[in-house]
Amino acid sequence: MRDRTMVRWSTYEPFFVTLGDYRVADIVVTHHAHSRWTERVEEESAGFDKICDYIWGKLKDDKITPYHKNEKDVYLIDSDLVMVTEFTELEGETDLVGNPLHRMIIVTFLGRMSESLELRDLKTYYSWLRHSRRMTLIKNGRKRK
């Protein structure tokens, strides 16, 4: 996901945006994240390019912040939208100093904190998800007997 609006001639430095300790030069949206985007963020079907452009713009505007100090993979967009990401190093690409550049892989979008209050505390949210799934499995197990 290179910056499409930027045209540079005769520069040797690759373009990246700093997010914490990472130098993000590429964004990848998984199919799961795309389906969660349509379910939880926008009702309209958005393409992968539109989601990447949105994330890239928020990165450049410094609107993406870590959820907590301890959470390294969970980020907030505009202090509302919660997303889970992973970072991998881009092979053979470094900045001028020699620091590696990274690819941001968006795993999923959990939703907006303004719409679902459970997202304000992720530990409680994940334990609630595990409990609800376990209870669903128990109920389905009772029906089969």
Side-chain angles (χ1 to χ4, degrees), residues 36-43 54 81 109 111-112 115:
R36 293 295 186 198
W37 177 273
T38 56
E39 288 175 13
R40 298 177 178 177
V41 180
E42 281 187 7
E43 295 296 322
Y54 174 77
L81 180 61
F109 292 98
R112 296 189 183 274
E115 294 174 4

Side-chain angles (χ1 to χ4, degrees), residues 54 58 62-67 75-82 111-114 120:
Y54 174 77
K58 294 298 180 179
D62 202 24
K63 300 283 184 175
I64 298 179
T65 57
Y67 183 81
Y75 289 91
L76 290 174
I77 302 172
D78 291 330
S79 300
D80 189 31
L81 180 61
V82 183
R112 296 189 183 274
M113 287 196 307
S114 60
R120 294 186 190 272

Side-chain angles (χ1 to χ4, degrees), residues 1 28-35 46-53:
M1 177 71 206
V28 176
V29 178
T30 62
H31 287 286
H32 179 72
H34 182 261
S35 66
F48 289 97
D49 289 340
K50 183 179 177 187
I51 298 170
C52 286
D53 288 342

